[in-house]
Amino acid sequence: MPRQSVPPAPSRCLVVLGATARLPMDRLTRRVTAPYGERVAVRSARCRREDVRREHGVLGALLGVPGHPGEAGDAAAGARWRDPYAHRSGVPRVAGARAAALLADAPLVLTIVDAHWCDDGTLRWIDHLMRRTAGRPLTVLMTSSHSALGAADATFHEIVARDYCTVTDAAELLAVDTDPARGADLDDLVAHEPYLLRVARAASVLRSTDADIVGALARLPTRQVTKALRTARAVGVLPDPMPPMGVPHPVDDLLSDLSGAERQRTYAQAAEVLNDAARPAEEVADLLLAHSCVDRPWMVSLLKEAAAASRHHHPAAAVRYLSRLNRIDPDDLDTSVDLATALLDIDPVTARGHLEWALLRTADPRATTRWMLPLRLTALMTHEEPDTPAALGEVLRQLRGVTGPAAPTPTGHPDPGAPPSSVPARGGFPATTEPVRAGHPEHYPGRVPSAAMVSSGPLLLATRAIRTALAGCSPREATADAHRALQAERPGGSWATVAAAQVLGLADQTETALDHLGRAVADSGRREEVWAECHARSARAWVLLQTGELTESAAQARAAVRTARSHGWPTQTQLPLITLALTLLSQGEPDAAESALRELDGQRMDSAVWEHHHRLLAEALLLRARGRPEQALERLEHCGASLAAAGVENPVFNTWWLTSTEVLTQLGRTSAAVEHAELGARMAARWPTERARGLSLLARGTAALGQDRVELLTEAVRALAGCPDRIHHTVAELRLGQALLKLGDKKSARARLHSARTLASQHGFVLLGHRARATLGMAGGRAPAADQRSGGALSSAEHPVAVLAAAGASNRDIAAELYLSLRTVEFHLTNVYRKLGVPGRAELAERLEPGAPPLASCRASGEAP
């Protein structure tokens, strides 16, 4: 990020880089407001890590806006200030009104501390404010640190690149500040209370008002410290209560007069005081990390203790402690492996690098065996190794080397399909050559191995469950293993949790799967496990797609894509982009689906079973939607052959065989369609779930003729109605209605077609809804009044675009709000105008259905909650 010199005139937007925890914000603010004179309005807010996910949370704190629309008294100011986001949320609208009112009375300075944690909505509002108030007496002051810039939102970097923004170092800005470090009032107070500043500094470093601890650092009697603390809180020198350790606060300005060496010495002494007082190791470690050089043996020991204490409940903190230890002693193999294990669910790419480094530098074969397990896991997580049933069998063999023989499933049978010992290791990973029994530490010289943190038991169960499910046999055993893995006190990492939940999704237990995945998203967010949160969102988007919850599926997929892109994880964008494309196809948006799939061009996926084969299915569905069935069939045949080669025979994992049956029937190749339908029936017999049975009946009914087709499709409807697959349930109702109509039974056909149209409207299956309405007209049915008025219901993707356009938003604003391209917005608006029979925006609001959901809910189609 380029730095510029401080301008002589007030900068419209000033980004100050420095150690934000110690920036003297009062001096910075005085420096920025000085050119405006004495009469100036200042509004400040401090961002926290959790604010990244609270849209407009910082904006509300900045201008005192609650989470509901502003008072009636702001209406006049709001009329003068037209915010393009006003149609979506009350917070930006009221904030705009208050900013306009403040600017009307005096110059305005908005200060945002730790702006790298600012939410995207607030940053977009700031950008809009700066562009719309050119020439007005307004300055935005944002602070950040050089090391934290990587965590900043993309919008923050866009603001930095604007012409109205200047970037400078804190030291450069304060170098021209001639104001005294403290005001006269504080100087007078210190003159009467000579120990007050000394005590206040000690309290600010310790973030405590415990008189005994503060007195130990200030080296004053407890009685004297108690009096000084009482005075400091009474006059506002110290806040009450004190902020927690590690959270930046203006109280840090009390040390601004100290030199760097004095400040470091103070923090080192404070760490000793906390350590002597037997405070939690993490609390002392946070003080060491933030403010001191770790140059004493007791400090190293304490960081190791803090890492061990926090690795389970707060792995991100363990990573910070271990990273410092790794910098102190880069050749410590144990620290490198501990750091890699703590990083597994935060950044598996970096974790893999640490593990590979450690393996290159050890000659201990038993250490190699132990460390190979987390390395294999990172290979699966980053798609460096395939996740086929055969590859998962290798993982199971290594897991048995750590935990002993696999526990039998509840049926009493051994591990289904256990790989023979003669199978060579894949991808250069040596297999375990000697069994290592759990609970026998003599196999581990020295300390307990770091790899034990992978929680091998739950990981083994989850790996066995997903392997069994992909092989398409024994859903009862697969789900039993999955439930046991998910019920473990500490599951074997996010990969194991997601794998077990995916097994439940394949076995029709989608409510339970979604519950566990939702909990995984929340827990990983709380634990700051970024990769795990992204991975769980991707899986949740996929399961939601299977249940027909298209809007929420798209929201989760887009959120996962944004997180993966912000951290440079291309493989983690694959499944959510494919899920998004399939969702858009179901919503009748082939252009938008093609755009999503185009983003995957150039990415290698043949080692990823889920991503590779579902991309092939998505491409085939897109080709069929484009009217190219032969090319679609070619892609489907390739998908089926690849799945067979990978050993994946689960009928509901990928429905290529059902889609190819439909395409072959469309092309008049009945015998080939029957063969594909029978293939699905054989796979469904080995995976006897209600969904597999319903899909098999649907395929056989599609390929059948006459009364046989009606009977098979009737059974398919019954089976699919009892499972969570809403898309294929709708297809079955539609096909049955068409078959009945072809046999001349119009009354029964109308009932089925009405059911298909209702399901399609409820879930946003646009193309299926159009076909159901068209066939219903042929059967003598009458479209409902809403359909006659609007020319067809708007899809769940078209509706938010229509509402935003009706509120007056431009195409560019809509694209930014819903995270769509301009081309996609134009495509949706064209369909909206056609369906509603209106020439443009002016007539759009009158034709939208009454009782439309508020725009806050429309945002869900573009962003996850």
Side-chain angles (χ1 to χ4, degrees):
M1 180 181 296
R3 294 192 296 272
Q4 306 170 19
S5 59
V6 181
S11 173
R12 303 209 58 238
C13 181
L14 188 63
V15 176
V16 179
L17 300 180
T20 57
R22 299 193 297 272
L23 281 179
M25 291 307 302
D26 56 341
R27 296 173 63 192
L28 287 175
T29 304
R30 285 197 298 271
R31 174 70 181 89
V32 171
T33 58
Y36 288 128
E38 296 183 0
R39 192 167 179 270
V40 59
V42 179
R43 296 292 183 271
S44 303
R46 182 176 293 267
C47 306
R48 298 167 298 176
R49 184 185 298 269
E50 56 267 28
D51 289 332
V52 175
R53 298 182 179 88
R54 295 177 54 226
E55 189 176 19
H56 298 125
V58 177
L59 178 59
L62 185 65
L63 289 164
V65 181
H68 53 77
E71 297 81 10
D74 289 328
R80 298 194 301 269
W81 176 260
R82 189 174 182 275
D83 186 352
Y85 296 103
H87 55 265
R88 199 195 60 77
S89 170
V91 175
R93 182 177 64 252
V94 178
R98 294 190 177 180
L102 291 169
L103 271 174
D105 296 334
L108 176 61
V109 174
L110 302 177
T111 301
I112 302 178
V113 182
D114 289 336
H116 48 272
W117 297 125
C118 190
D119 61 274
D120 178 71
T122 298
L123 291 172
R124 288 185 181 277
W125 185 90
I126 291 291
D127 183 43
H128 166 76
L129 177 72
M130 300 306 295
R131 288 186 284 110
R132 293 296 180 92
T133 57
R136 304 290 298 279
L138 169 69
T139 296
V140 175
L141 171 64
M142 295 193 288
T143 69
S144 183
S145 61
H146 294 277
S147 61
L149 290 176
D153 191 275
T155 308
F156 176 84
H157 295 284
E158 291 177 11
I159 290 176
V160 168
R162 301 286 192 195
D163 294 336
Y164 58 70
C165 186
T166 301
V167 183
T168 185
D169 283 324
E172 183 180 358
L173 182 64
L174 294 174
V176 295
D177 185 4
T178 58
D179 289 347
R182 297 186 304 273
D185 292 341
L186 183 57
D187 287 336
D188 293 340
L189 184 62
V190 171
H192 290 88
E193 297 280 352
Y195 299 115
L196 184 139
L197 187 58
R198 186 169 162 185
V199 170
R201 282 174 173 166
S204 69
V205 172
L206 295 166
R207 294 299 176 88
S208 172
T209 54
D210 185 317
D212 291 332
I213 296 178
V214 173
L217 179 58
R219 297 182 181 179
L220 291 170
T222 302
R223 184 174 180 181
Q224 209 166 19
V225 170
T226 302
K227 178 183 176 183
L229 287 172
R230 186 165 53 246
T231 303
R233 287 196 299 267
V235 300
V237 174
L238 291 178
D240 189 14
M242 290 290 287
M245 187 75 70
V247 177
H249 191 275
V251 72
D252 296 326
D253 297 345
L254 289 169
L255 285 89
S256 60
D257 291 341
L258 300 180
S259 66
E262 290 176 318
R263 191 178 298 116
Q264 292 298 322
R265 186 163 51 251
T266 300
Y267 285 119
Q269 292 171 353
E272 288 189 50
V273 168
L274 290 179
N275 193 38
D276 292 342
R279 299 299 284 268
E282 298 99 316
E283 187 176 334
V284 186
D286 285 338
L287 195 59
L288 290 174
L289 290 184
H291 305 293
S292 180
C293 297
V294 181
D295 54 0
R296 304 181 193 178
W298 73 267
M299 294 179 177
V300 173
S301 299
L302 188 135
L303 283 175
K304 290 181 178 179
E305 181 184 349
S310 60
R311 62 180 53 175
H312 291 302
H313 70 276
H314 195 185
V319 167
R320 291 194 289 271
Y321 308 142
L322 292 167
S323 296
R324 175 63 69 88
L325 290 170
N326 185 249
R327 290 196 295 271
I328 295 171
D329 186 2
D331 296 326
D332 188 336
L333 296 183
D334 287 337
T335 298
S336 293
V337 176
D338 282 342
L339 177 57
T341 313
L343 279 167
L344 276 179
D345 284 338
I346 298 174
D347 187 350
V349 177
T350 304
R352 184 174 176 80
H354 283 287
L355 288 168
E356 290 174 339
W357 180 90
L359 283 168
L360 288 174
R361 285 160 177 78
T362 183
D364 184 354
R366 284 177 290 192
T368 300
T369 298
R370 296 194 304 270
W371 297 346
M372 201 60 67
L373 173 59
L375 184 62
R376 168 72 78 171
L377 186 57
T378 61
L380 288 174
M381 296 166 76
T382 58
H383 299 329
E384 294 292 330
E385 286 290 307
D387 52 355
T388 61
L392 293 173
E394 291 297 320
V395 177
L396 283 174
R397 185 163 63 177
Q398 285 186 317
L399 284 167
R400 293 190 193 96
V402 176
T403 62
T409 58
T411 60
H413 298 296
D415 178 18
S421 58
S422 60
V423 177
R426 297 171 61 93
F429 288 96
T432 303
T433 56
E434 61 174 303
V436 181
R437 292 173 295 166
H440 288 264
E442 66 269 19
H443 290 280
Y444 303 114
R447 63 188 185 85
V448 176
S450 303
M453 286 172 54
V454 178
S455 300
S456 303
L459 181 58
L460 186 149
L461 290 167
T463 304
R464 189 168 64 182
I466 191 66
R467 181 174 179 269
T468 304
L470 290 177
C473 58
S474 188
R476 187 158 62 96
E477 293 179 354
T479 55
D481 280 341
H483 280 295
R484 291 168 63 197
L486 291 169
Q487 290 166 1
E489 182 178 353
R490 175 72 177 110
S494 69
W495 187 90
T497 300
V498 170
Q502 287 173 325
V503 170
L504 298 182
L506 293 173
D508 293 354
Q509 300 181 25
T510 53
E511 288 298 326
T512 306
L514 288 173
D515 180 59
H516 283 288
L517 289 171
R519 203 174 311 147
V521 170
D523 289 346
S524 56
R526 175 179 52 81
R527 292 159 56 88
E528 301 180 53
E529 294 174 327
V530 186
W531 186 92
E533 181 180 358
C534 178
H535 187 48
R537 281 194 186 277
S538 299
R540 194 163 192 268
W542 177 258
V543 177
L544 286 166
L545 172 63
Q546 307 311 302
T547 63
E549 300 294 335
L550 301 186
T551 299
E552 190 175 353
S553 172
Q556 295 289 328
R558 288 186 173 108
V561 169
R562 285 196 302 274
T563 301
R565 284 175 178 165
S566 66
H567 289 82
W569 297 329
T571 58
Q572 283 306 106
T573 65
Q574 294 172 357
L575 184 59
L577 281 173
I578 294 167
T579 303
L580 183 59
L582 289 168
T583 300
L584 293 167
L585 284 169
S586 297
Q587 293 174 329
E589 303 176 42
D591 289 341
E594 186 175 9
S595 297
L597 291 174
R598 197 179 297 124
E599 295 188 38
L600 300 172
D601 291 345
Q603 295 191 30
R604 183 174 175 269
M605 297 188 194
D606 50 0
S607 63
V609 166
W610 288 80
E611 288 79 358
H612 177 58
H613 297 99
H614 288 112
R615 180 184 182 179
L616 291 174
L617 177 62
E619 291 173 346
L621 292 172
L622 179 62
L623 288 168
R624 187 176 71 167
R626 298 292 195 197
R628 290 181 276 179
E630 292 287 356
Q631 291 176 279
L633 185 60
E634 180 182 348
R635 201 64 52 92
L636 291 167
E637 296 283 2
H638 176 46
C639 179
S642 178
L643 283 168
V648 179
E649 298 185 10
N650 190 303
V652 301
F653 170 77
N654 187 297
T655 56
W656 71 272
W657 53 275
L658 173 59
T659 307
S660 63
T661 300
E662 297 168 351
V663 174
L664 287 167
T665 302
Q666 175 188 350
L667 295 173
R669 296 162 58 179
T670 306
S671 59
V674 171
E675 289 179 7
H676 282 242
E678 291 302 324
L679 171 64
R682 289 194 296 272
M683 289 191 293
R686 293 195 299 271
W687 187 259
T689 64
E690 200 67 8
R691 182 184 174 197
R693 176 173 169 271
L695 294 177
S696 170
L697 289 166
L698 176 58
R700 291 169 60 199
T702 300
L705 299 173
Q707 190 62 37
D708 289 343
R709 170 178 285 190
V710 171
E711 292 176 0
L712 288 169
L713 289 175
T714 300
E715 289 299 313
V717 167
R718 289 175 183 160
L720 292 170
C723 72
D725 191 339
R726 299 275 72 83
I727 295 178
H728 287 106
H729 180 203
T730 307
V731 172
E733 292 279 12
L734 174 61
R735 294 274 167 76
L736 179 56
Q738 292 171 334
L740 289 168
L741 179 61
K742 191 171 184 179
L743 292 179
D745 188 353
K746 291 188 176 182
K747 181 178 180 181
S748 299
R750 284 196 295 270
R752 295 301 180 181
L753 294 170
H754 273 297
S755 178
R757 187 189 62 188
T758 301
L759 285 170
S761 298
Q762 288 175 347
H763 297 282
F765 307 148
V766 176
L767 292 181
L768 292 175
H770 287 335
R771 292 173 190 161
R773 276 187 289 272
T775 312
L776 186 60
M778 297 169 58
R782 183 172 61 88
D787 287 352
Q788 292 176 355
R789 181 182 72 250
S790 65
L794 299 182
S795 72
S796 58
E798 293 165 349
H799 189 264
V801 174
V803 178
L804 289 169
S810 66
N811 288 4
R812 191 173 299 277
D813 288 336
I814 297 172
E817 180 72 7
L818 298 180
Y819 299 98
L820 300 172
S821 66
L822 280 173
R823 181 181 176 187
T824 301
V825 172
E826 293 165 357
F827 172 79
H828 287 331
L829 280 178
T830 300
N831 287 337
V832 168
Y833 296 153
R834 174 180 55 80
K835 289 181 178 181
L836 300 184
V838 296
R841 278 175 165 76
E843 298 82 8
L844 194 56
E846 299 177 2
R847 296 303 304 274
L848 285 178
E849 296 180 8
L855 263 292
S857 64
C858 294
R859 170 77 166 181
S861 64
E863 183 174 10

